[in-house]
Amino acid sequence: MTRQAAPKRYHHGDLRNALIKAGTRLLRDHGVAGLTLRTVAKRAGVSHTAPYRHFPDKVSLLAAIATVGFEQLSAALTEVVVTHADDPAKQFIEAGIAYVLLAVRNPETAHLMFGGGSLDLKDADQTLELAGKRAFEDLVRIVENGLRAGIYRDGDAEKLALVAWAHAHGLATLIIAGRIKDAASSEQQVIELTRYVCQTQLSGMLNNTSVN
Amino acid sequence: MTRQAAPKRYHHGDLRNALIKAGTRLLRDHGVAGLTLRTVAKRAGVSHTAPYRHFPDKVSLLAAIATVGFEQLSAALTEVVVTHADDPAKQFIEAGIAYVLLAVRNPETAHLMFGGGSLDLKDADQTLELAGKRAFEDLVRIVENGLRAGIYRDGDAEKLALVAWAHAHGLATLIIAGRIKDAASSEQQVIELTRYVCQTQLSGMLNNTSVN
DNA sequence: ACCTGAACACCGTTCAAGT
DNA sequence: ACCTGAACACCGTTCAAGT
């Protein structure tokens, strides 16, 4: 909606957002290796030193991009909770699917969000760290819903959420890394595989024995 | 054993291995950002163009380093199987611990092994892809041991192994990314957390209901 | 306050030579 | 066969200037 009427030139404008947008596109199309500060600047129509007026570092721009990713994740999780407000088990499974789908659709951004390695963006950027914690809290809330409904065996919501996160995250990472190409080529296959994984996971946490 | 008597200069020698060794150390000490082909060459005592006689690419050197990582993982998994030859459930849990420990101790290498993103080393290097598949087969074998012993509910070894892998991998990735600092600061905590996660996971796969 | 241009140190890679 | 040195195009970052 707001994109169509964009000005064709900003000799000055909200460059900061333009840089984030250009960086995100560059990341998606050419990978993190193709995301250079100089080309980002060129795409935004400014000189290659202009970004330093808005980001102290290249890392800071990357952190801003990853922050957007976490915000999208939070939004997706919140929507899952709202859609299945009366079914905490379904919330759990659909949250996993939403997580994996988001990662599979934006592999480069996901890589940035959980990079690990020495690319510890989050150590350098508080905003990013906060956004990540917020997304985790959304997941904790889903588990708490299940605890309130009494469907889980254990009682530590944070710990259970951690397990669940590890599960979805691991699956997403393996798919992104292309290590499950046989079983996860189409998006429909990804959804079904994730559902299977989350259900197995849920079986280990459930109070009752019967599982379908 | 073989390191002590190393020659002080190799005007010629087995440079290829020297480069891998220097690269591994550089990766561990200064991260992937600090691993530059030029400094690797300097550490090995050769000019910065000499590596091109042994690796067509910087990516190829990285792939060689990651391959070593997968071989270490295979070795660790094999040792777990041998040590707990009569207890497939324990094999499962100890394998997860071995996996996570290896990743936590060599985070940069792990990052290389499962990079995902556009750093798809494995698409460019067959040796690396083979080593990765071999490590996965070791895990499949562990699950097959459990199937033979009849402790699992489901019957598809590959699928169960995939789930298990996703689990351990996700946990390792989250720890490396520093997203669980509270619950996994010491190595002992990492072990206990991993044990908890793997046991929960195992509970979802087990045939019987009783879990300790 | 925001942007530009020249400049610096660094990197991956290539190529004509050297031994 | 294996290694070197100069060279090229590129990058992140800095800084004195411009408006």
Side-chain angles (χ1 to χ4, degrees), chain A residues 15-56:
Chain A
L15 181 55
R16 199 191 129 94
N17 276 320
L19 291 171
I20 293 179
K21 196 175 292 185
T24 304
R25 273 219 321 179
L26 225 41
L27 182 67
R28 166 165 50 82
D29 295 343
H30 302 283
V32 66
L35 170 41
T36 140
L37 217 46
R38 288 170 111 107
T39 61
V40 168
K42 196 173 293 177
R43 293 287 178 92
V46 292
S47 91
H48 63 270
T49 60
Y52 287 89
R53 211 43 57 175
H54 300 273
F55 299 98

mmCIF file of all heavy atoms in Angstrom, chain A residues 15-56:
data_model
loop_
_atom_site.group_PDB
_atom_site.id
_atom_site.type_symbol
_atom_site.label_atom_id
_atom_site.label_comp_id
_atom_site.label_asym_id
_atom_site.label_seq_id
_atom_site.Cartn_x
_atom_site.Cartn_y
_atom_site.Cartn_z
ATOM 1 N N LEU A 15 16.395 7.683 4.723
ATOM 2 C CA LEU A 15 17.393 6.807 4.120
ATOM 3 C C LEU A 15 17.534 5.519 4.919
ATOM 4 O O LEU A 15 17.673 4.439 4.355
ATOM 5 C CB LEU A 15 18.738 7.532 4.041
ATOM 6 C CG LEU A 15 19.878 6.735 3.410
ATOM 7 C CD1 LEU A 15 19.507 6.249 2.033
ATOM 8 C CD2 LEU A 15 21.147 7.559 3.338
ATOM 9 N N ARG A 16 17.465 5.633 6.210
ATOM 10 C CA ARG A 16 17.666 4.463 7.067
ATOM 11 C C ARG A 16 16.796 3.298 6.637
ATOM 12 O O ARG A 16 17.266 2.181 6.445
ATOM 13 C CB ARG A 16 17.366 4.816 8.529
ATOM 14 C CG ARG A 16 17.974 3.853 9.514
ATOM 15 C CD ARG A 16 17.443 4.060 10.915
ATOM 16 N NE ARG A 16 16.981 2.794 11.460
ATOM 17 C CZ ARG A 16 17.731 2.005 12.198
ATOM 18 N NH1 ARG A 16 18.954 2.362 12.513
ATOM 19 N NH2 ARG A 16 17.278 0.858 12.638
ATOM 20 N N ASN A 17 15.503 3.562 6.445
ATOM 21 C CA ASN A 17 14.606 2.484 6.037
ATOM 22 C C ASN A 17 14.902 2.014 4.621
ATOM 23 O O ASN A 17 14.803 0.827 4.324
ATOM 24 C CB ASN A 17 13.145 2.948 6.146
ATOM 25 C CG ASN A 17 12.636 2.788 7.559
ATOM 26 O OD1 ASN A 17 12.929 1.793 8.219
ATOM 27 N ND2 ASN A 17 11.901 3.769 8.037
ATOM 28 N N ALA A 18 15.263 2.945 3.767
ATOM 29 C CA ALA A 18 15.597 2.567 2.395
ATOM 30 C C ALA A 18 16.787 1.611 2.389
ATOM 31 O O ALA A 18 16.825 0.652 1.615
ATOM 32 C CB ALA A 18 15.906 3.812 1.579
ATOM 33 N N LEU A 19 17.738 1.844 3.270
ATOM 34 C CA LEU A 19 18.915 0.975 3.344
ATOM 35 C C LEU A 19 18.528 -0.414 3.827
ATOM 36 O O LEU A 19 18.998 -1.426 3.297
ATOM 37 C CB LEU A 19 19.958 1.589 4.280
ATOM 38 C CG LEU A 19 20.625 2.871 3.765
ATOM 39 C CD1 LEU A 19 21.474 3.496 4.853
ATOM 40 C CD2 LEU A 19 21.460 2.592 2.530
ATOM 41 N N ILE A 20 17.673 -0.458 4.838
ATOM 42 C CA ILE A 20 17.230 -1.758 5.344
ATOM 43 C C ILE A 20 16.498 -2.524 4.254
ATOM 44 O O ILE A 20 16.721 -3.715 4.038
ATOM 45 C CB ILE A 20 16.316 -1.581 6.578
ATOM 46 C CG1 ILE A 20 17.130 -1.023 7.754
ATOM 47 C CG2 ILE A 20 15.663 -2.899 6.960
ATOM 48 C CD1 ILE A 20 16.321 -0.788 9.002
ATOM 49 N N LYS A 21 15.633 -1.826 3.540
ATOM 50 C CA LYS A 21 14.861 -2.492 2.490
ATOM 51 C C LYS A 21 15.775 -3.003 1.382
ATOM 52 O O LYS A 21 15.665 -4.145 0.939
ATOM 53 C CB LYS A 21 13.809 -1.511 1.927
ATOM 54 C CG LYS A 21 12.718 -2.200 1.116
ATOM 55 C CD LYS A 21 11.640 -1.227 0.686
ATOM 56 C CE LYS A 21 10.830 -0.709 1.868
ATOM 57 N NZ LYS A 21 9.705 0.151 1.459
ATOM 58 N N ALA A 22 16.672 -2.149 0.946
ATOM 59 C CA ALA A 22 17.600 -2.550 -0.113
ATOM 60 C C ALA A 22 18.466 -3.705 0.347
ATOM 61 O O ALA A 22 18.719 -4.655 -0.397
ATOM 62 C CB ALA A 22 18.468 -1.359 -0.514
ATOM 63 N N GLY A 23 18.913 -3.632 1.592
ATOM 64 C CA GLY A 23 19.742 -4.701 2.137
ATOM 65 C C GLY A 23 18.994 -6.015 2.188
ATOM 66 O O GLY A 23 19.546 -7.068 1.849
ATOM 67 N N THR A 24 17.740 -5.979 2.586
ATOM 68 C CA THR A 24 16.938 -7.197 2.668
ATOM 69 C C THR A 24 16.784 -7.841 1.298
ATOM 70 O O THR A 24 16.919 -9.058 1.145
ATOM 71 C CB THR A 24 15.549 -6.869 3.241
ATOM 72 O OG1 THR A 24 15.718 -6.230 4.512
ATOM 73 C CG2 THR A 24 14.733 -8.137 3.426
ATOM 74 N N ARG A 25 16.502 -7.011 0.297
ATOM 75 C CA ARG A 25 16.354 -7.557 -1.048
ATOM 76 C C ARG A 25 17.662 -8.161 -1.545
ATOM 77 O O ARG A 25 17.695 -9.242 -2.137
ATOM 78 C CB ARG A 25 15.911 -6.441 -2.007
ATOM 79 C CG ARG A 25 14.415 -6.257 -2.061
ATOM 80 C CD ARG A 25 13.950 -5.959 -3.473
ATOM 81 N NE ARG A 25 14.861 -5.074 -4.190
ATOM 82 C CZ ARG A 25 14.669 -4.683 -5.437
ATOM 83 N NH1 ARG A 25 13.570 -5.059 -6.072
ATOM 84 N NH2 ARG A 25 15.526 -3.897 -6.044
ATOM 85 N N LEU A 26 18.734 -7.434 -1.301
ATOM 86 C CA LEU A 26 20.045 -7.912 -1.736
ATOM 87 C C LEU A 26 20.381 -9.232 -1.049
ATOM 88 O O LEU A 26 20.934 -10.157 -1.665
ATOM 89 C CB LEU A 26 21.098 -6.848 -1.378
ATOM 90 C CG LEU A 26 22.127 -6.484 -2.427
ATOM 91 C CD1 LEU A 26 21.506 -6.391 -3.803
ATOM 92 C CD2 LEU A 26 22.781 -5.177 -2.065
ATOM 93 N N LEU A 27 20.033 -9.320 0.222
ATOM 94 C CA LEU A 27 20.289 -10.541 0.984
ATOM 95 C C LEU A 27 19.508 -11.706 0.397
ATOM 96 O O LEU A 27 20.033 -12.803 0.215
ATOM 97 C CB LEU A 27 19.881 -10.322 2.438
ATOM 98 C CG LEU A 27 20.123 -11.479 3.405
ATOM 99 C CD1 LEU A 27 21.605 -11.723 3.587
ATOM 100 C CD2 LEU A 27 19.459 -11.205 4.741
ATOM 101 N N ARG A 28 18.250 -11.453 0.075
ATOM 102 C CA ARG A 28 17.409 -12.513 -0.464
ATOM 103 C C ARG A 28 17.898 -12.960 -1.835
ATOM 104 O O ARG A 28 17.928 -14.150 -2.138
ATOM 105 C CB ARG A 28 15.959 -12.003 -0.565
ATOM 106 C CG ARG A 28 15.047 -12.881 -1.419
ATOM 107 C CD ARG A 28 13.581 -12.578 -1.224
ATOM 108 N NE ARG A 28 13.254 -11.163 -1.323
ATOM 109 C CZ ARG A 28 13.057 -10.499 -2.470
ATOM 110 N NH1 ARG A 28 13.182 -11.118 -3.626
ATOM 111 N NH2 ARG A 28 12.746 -9.223 -2.472
ATOM 112 N N ASP A 29 18.307 -11.999 -2.684
ATOM 113 C CA ASP A 29 18.632 -12.336 -4.063
ATOM 114 C C ASP A 29 20.057 -12.844 -4.253
ATOM 115 O O ASP A 29 20.308 -13.663 -5.129
ATOM 116 C CB ASP A 29 18.409 -11.108 -4.959
ATOM 117 C CG ASP A 29 16.949 -10.705 -5.001
ATOM 118 O OD1 ASP A 29 16.092 -11.535 -4.625
ATOM 119 O OD2 ASP A 29 16.654 -9.554 -5.390
ATOM 120 N N HIS A 30 20.986 -12.324 -3.434
ATOM 121 C CA HIS A 30 22.381 -12.657 -3.703
ATOM 122 C C HIS A 30 23.132 -13.196 -2.490
ATOM 123 O O HIS A 30 24.357 -13.330 -2.535
ATOM 124 C CB HIS A 30 23.106 -11.425 -4.252
ATOM 125 C CG HIS A 30 22.505 -10.865 -5.497
ATOM 126 N ND1 HIS A 30 22.693 -11.433 -6.740
ATOM 127 C CD2 HIS A 30 21.674 -9.814 -5.709
ATOM 128 C CE1 HIS A 30 22.030 -10.741 -7.661
ATOM 129 N NE2 HIS A 30 21.401 -9.755 -7.054
ATOM 130 N N GLY A 31 22.397 -13.482 -1.420
ATOM 131 C CA GLY A 31 23.055 -14.081 -0.264
ATOM 132 C C GLY A 31 23.849 -13.071 0.539
ATOM 133 O O GLY A 31 24.053 -11.926 0.119
ATOM 134 N N VAL A 32 24.307 -13.516 1.674
ATOM 135 C CA VAL A 32 25.021 -12.612 2.564
ATOM 136 C C VAL A 32 26.346 -12.175 1.946
ATOM 137 O O VAL A 32 26.850 -11.079 2.227
ATOM 138 C CB VAL A 32 25.254 -13.277 3.943
ATOM 139 C CG1 VAL A 32 26.200 -14.452 3.812
ATOM 140 C CG2 VAL A 32 25.750 -12.277 4.955
ATOM 141 N N ALA A 33 26.891 -13.023 1.089
ATOM 142 C CA ALA A 33 28.142 -12.662 0.428
ATOM 143 C C ALA A 33 27.920 -11.523 -0.567
ATOM 144 O O ALA A 33 28.813 -10.728 -0.819
ATOM 145 C CB ALA A 33 28.740 -13.878 -0.285
ATOM 146 N N GLY A 34 26.718 -11.450 -1.112
ATOM 147 C CA GLY A 34 26.423 -10.402 -2.089
ATOM 148 C C GLY A 34 25.917 -9.122 -1.451
ATOM 149 O O GLY A 34 25.688 -8.130 -2.141
ATOM 150 N N LEU A 35 25.746 -9.182 -0.139
ATOM 151 C CA LEU A 35 25.257 -7.993 0.560
ATOM 152 C C LEU A 35 26.438 -7.137 0.995
ATOM 153 O O LEU A 35 26.990 -7.301 2.069
ATOM 154 C CB LEU A 35 24.424 -8.417 1.785
ATOM 155 C CG LEU A 35 24.013 -7.334 2.776
ATOM 156 C CD1 LEU A 35 23.581 -6.066 2.080
ATOM 157 C CD2 LEU A 35 22.888 -7.842 3.648
ATOM 158 N N THR A 36 26.834 -6.235 0.120
ATOM 159 C CA THR A 36 27.924 -5.338 0.461
ATOM 160 C C THR A 36 27.366 -3.936 0.707
ATOM 161 O O THR A 36 26.410 -3.508 0.052
ATOM 162 C CB THR A 36 28.984 -5.313 -0.651
ATOM 163 O OG1 THR A 36 29.444 -3.967 -0.835
ATOM 164 C CG2 THR A 36 28.410 -5.800 -1.952
ATOM 165 N N LEU A 37 27.996 -3.274 1.638
ATOM 166 C CA LEU A 37 27.527 -1.957 2.029
ATOM 167 C C LEU A 37 27.528 -1.008 0.838
ATOM 168 O O LEU A 37 26.649 -0.139 0.700
ATOM 169 C CB LEU A 37 28.437 -1.414 3.130
ATOM 170 C CG LEU A 37 27.774 -0.611 4.236
ATOM 171 C CD1 LEU A 37 26.531 -1.314 4.719
ATOM 172 C CD2 LEU A 37 28.736 -0.426 5.388
ATOM 173 N N ARG A 38 28.483 -1.183 -0.021
ATOM 174 C CA ARG A 38 28.603 -0.279 -1.166
ATOM 175 C C ARG A 38 27.451 -0.454 -2.148
ATOM 176 O O ARG A 38 26.905 0.526 -2.666
ATOM 177 C CB ARG A 38 29.950 -0.511 -1.860
ATOM 178 C CG ARG A 38 31.120 0.031 -1.042
ATOM 179 C CD ARG A 38 32.461 -0.412 -1.619
ATOM 180 N NE ARG A 38 33.197 0.701 -2.207
ATOM 181 C CZ ARG A 38 34.270 1.260 -1.666
ATOM 182 N NH1 ARG A 38 34.744 0.814 -0.520
ATOM 183 N NH2 ARG A 38 34.881 2.266 -2.252
ATOM 184 N N THR A 39 27.081 -1.702 -2.404
ATOM 185 C CA THR A 39 25.971 -1.910 -3.339
ATOM 186 C C THR A 39 24.634 -1.546 -2.691
ATOM 187 O O THR A 39 23.722 -1.085 -3.376
ATOM 188 C CB THR A 39 25.925 -3.372 -3.833
ATOM 189 O OG1 THR A 39 25.734 -4.222 -2.726
ATOM 190 C CG2 THR A 39 27.198 -3.736 -4.550
ATOM 191 N N VAL A 40 24.529 -1.758 -1.390
ATOM 192 C CA VAL A 40 23.318 -1.311 -0.703
ATOM 193 C C VAL A 40 23.146 0.188 -0.902
ATOM 194 O O VAL A 40 22.057 0.675 -1.228
ATOM 195 C CB VAL A 40 23.374 -1.649 0.802
ATOM 196 C CG1 VAL A 40 22.268 -0.929 1.552
ATOM 197 C CG2 VAL A 40 23.251 -3.144 1.017
ATOM 198 N N ALA A 41 24.227 0.900 -0.721
ATOM 199 C CA ALA A 41 24.174 2.346 -0.890
ATOM 200 C C ALA A 41 23.790 2.707 -2.322
ATOM 201 O O ALA A 41 22.962 3.589 -2.563
ATOM 202 C CB ALA A 41 25.522 2.950 -0.528
ATOM 203 N N LYS A 42 24.393 1.983 -3.254
ATOM 204 C CA LYS A 42 24.094 2.258 -4.662
ATOM 205 C C LYS A 42 22.619 2.032 -4.958
ATOM 206 O O LYS A 42 21.967 2.841 -5.635
ATOM 207 C CB LYS A 42 24.963 1.357 -5.553
ATOM 208 C CG LYS A 42 25.016 1.811 -6.995
ATOM 209 C CD LYS A 42 26.019 0.989 -7.800
ATOM 210 C CE LYS A 42 27.451 1.246 -7.340
ATOM 211 N NZ LYS A 42 28.440 0.412 -8.059
ATOM 212 N N ARG A 43 22.071 0.923 -4.446
ATOM 213 C CA ARG A 43 20.659 0.623 -4.644
ATOM 214 C C ARG A 43 19.764 1.719 -4.045
ATOM 215 O O ARG A 43 18.683 1.994 -4.534
ATOM 216 C CB ARG A 43 20.290 -0.719 -3.996
ATOM 217 C CG ARG A 43 20.922 -1.917 -4.656
ATOM 218 C CD ARG A 43 20.288 -2.216 -6.003
ATOM 219 N NE ARG A 43 20.943 -3.353 -6.640
ATOM 220 C CZ ARG A 43 20.545 -4.602 -6.520
ATOM 221 N NH1 ARG A 43 19.486 -4.873 -5.801
ATOM 222 N NH2 ARG A 43 21.206 -5.574 -7.125
ATOM 223 N N ALA A 44 20.238 2.299 -2.957
ATOM 224 C CA ALA A 44 19.447 3.349 -2.317
ATOM 225 C C ALA A 44 19.696 4.702 -2.974
ATOM 226 O O ALA A 44 19.058 5.700 -2.624
ATOM 227 C CB ALA A 44 19.758 3.404 -0.821
ATOM 228 N N GLY A 45 20.627 4.741 -3.904
ATOM 229 C CA GLY A 45 20.863 5.963 -4.647
ATOM 230 C C GLY A 45 21.709 6.993 -3.934
ATOM 231 O O GLY A 45 21.612 8.195 -4.211
ATOM 232 N N VAL A 46 22.556 6.537 -3.042
ATOM 233 C CA VAL A 46 23.438 7.473 -2.331
ATOM 234 C C VAL A 46 24.888 7.023 -2.483
ATOM 235 O O VAL A 46 25.154 5.925 -2.974
ATOM 236 C CB VAL A 46 23.083 7.550 -0.833
ATOM 237 C CG1 VAL A 46 21.725 8.209 -0.646
ATOM 238 C CG2 VAL A 46 23.108 6.169 -0.206
ATOM 239 N N SER A 47 25.774 7.842 -2.053
ATOM 240 C CA SER A 47 27.183 7.472 -2.125
ATOM 241 C C SER A 47 27.476 6.368 -1.118
ATOM 242 O O SER A 47 26.703 6.127 -0.190
ATOM 243 C CB SER A 47 28.063 8.674 -1.831
ATOM 244 O OG SER A 47 28.354 8.746 -0.456
ATOM 245 N N HIS A 48 28.598 5.714 -1.286
ATOM 246 C CA HIS A 48 28.855 4.531 -0.459
ATOM 247 C C HIS A 48 29.289 4.884 0.964
ATOM 248 O O HIS A 48 29.529 3.989 1.761
ATOM 249 C CB HIS A 48 29.888 3.630 -1.127
ATOM 250 C CG HIS A 48 31.238 4.267 -1.291
ATOM 251 N ND1 HIS A 48 31.576 4.996 -2.410
ATOM 252 C CD2 HIS A 48 32.315 4.295 -0.486
ATOM 253 C CE1 HIS A 48 32.807 5.433 -2.281
ATOM 254 N NE2 HIS A 48 33.277 5.040 -1.128
ATOM 255 N N THR A 49 29.389 6.123 1.264
ATOM 256 C CA THR A 49 29.722 6.503 2.649
ATOM 257 C C THR A 49 28.499 7.025 3.395
ATOM 258 O O THR A 49 28.539 7.172 4.610
ATOM 259 C CB THR A 49 30.811 7.582 2.661
ATOM 260 O OG1 THR A 49 30.322 8.727 1.953
ATOM 261 C CG2 THR A 49 32.079 7.072 1.995
ATOM 262 N N ALA A 50 27.436 7.265 2.659
ATOM 263 C CA ALA A 50 26.221 7.793 3.294
ATOM 264 C C ALA A 50 25.660 6.876 4.386
ATOM 265 O O ALA A 50 25.200 7.366 5.425
ATOM 266 C CB ALA A 50 25.162 8.065 2.232
ATOM 267 N N PRO A 51 25.682 5.550 4.203
ATOM 268 C CA PRO A 51 25.111 4.680 5.240
ATOM 269 C C PRO A 51 25.712 4.915 6.633
ATOM 270 O O PRO A 51 25.036 4.669 7.630
ATOM 271 C CB PRO A 51 25.445 3.268 4.742
ATOM 272 C CG PRO A 51 25.470 3.407 3.267
ATOM 273 C CD PRO A 51 26.044 4.768 3.012
ATOM 274 N N TYR A 52 26.936 5.381 6.685
ATOM 275 C CA TYR A 52 27.594 5.550 7.984
ATOM 276 C C TYR A 52 26.958 6.673 8.800
ATOM 277 O O TYR A 52 27.264 6.845 9.970
ATOM 278 C CB TYR A 52 29.088 5.800 7.791
ATOM 279 C CG TYR A 52 29.829 4.561 7.378
ATOM 280 C CD1 TYR A 52 29.981 4.228 6.042
ATOM 281 C CD2 TYR A 52 30.343 3.698 8.332
ATOM 282 C CE1 TYR A 52 30.646 3.077 5.656
ATOM 283 C CE2 TYR A 52 31.015 2.543 7.965
ATOM 284 C CZ TYR A 52 31.160 2.242 6.627
ATOM 285 O OH TYR A 52 31.811 1.094 6.259
ATOM 286 N N ARG A 53 26.105 7.433 8.154
ATOM 287 C CA ARG A 53 25.369 8.453 8.895
ATOM 288 C C ARG A 53 24.216 7.811 9.663
ATOM 289 O O ARG A 53 23.676 8.397 10.591
ATOM 290 C CB ARG A 53 24.852 9.496 7.887
ATOM 291 C CG ARG A 53 24.730 10.893 8.389
ATOM 292 C CD ARG A 53 25.883 11.366 9.240
ATOM 293 N NE ARG A 53 27.188 11.286 8.617
ATOM 294 C CZ ARG A 53 28.276 11.759 9.198
ATOM 295 N NH1 ARG A 53 28.220 12.361 10.379
ATOM 296 N NH2 ARG A 53 29.440 11.638 8.599
ATOM 297 N N HIS A 54 23.844 6.567 9.290
ATOM 298 C CA HIS A 54 22.682 5.898 9.904
ATOM 299 C C HIS A 54 23.042 4.606 10.617
ATOM 300 O O HIS A 54 22.333 4.171 11.520
ATOM 301 C CB HIS A 54 21.623 5.616 8.841
ATOM 302 C CG HIS A 54 21.107 6.847 8.169
ATOM 303 N ND1 HIS A 54 20.059 7.577 8.671
ATOM 304 C CD2 HIS A 54 21.526 7.498 7.057
ATOM 305 C CE1 HIS A 54 19.838 8.616 7.876
ATOM 306 N NE2 HIS A 54 20.712 8.595 6.891
ATOM 307 N N PHE A 55 24.148 3.992 10.201
ATOM 308 C CA PHE A 55 24.621 2.778 10.870
ATOM 309 C C PHE A 55 26.112 2.918 11.120
ATOM 310 O O PHE A 55 26.862 3.236 10.200
ATOM 311 C CB PHE A 55 24.354 1.539 10.012
ATOM 312 C CG PHE A 55 22.898 1.303 9.731
ATOM 313 C CD1 PHE A 55 22.341 1.714 8.537
ATOM 314 C CD2 PHE A 55 22.089 0.679 10.672
ATOM 315 C CE1 PHE A 55 20.995 1.505 8.275
ATOM 316 C CE2 PHE A 55 20.753 0.463 10.425
ATOM 317 C CZ PHE A 55 20.198 0.881 9.225
ATOM 318 N N PRO A 56 26.538 2.688 12.344
ATOM 319 C CA PRO A 56 27.962 2.833 12.648
ATOM 320 C C PRO A 56 28.806 1.761 11.966
ATOM 321 O O PRO A 56 30.019 1.912 11.841
ATOM 322 C CB PRO A 56 28.020 2.680 14.167
ATOM 323 C CG PRO A 56 26.810 1.891 14.517
ATOM 324 C CD PRO A 56 25.760 2.274 13.514
#
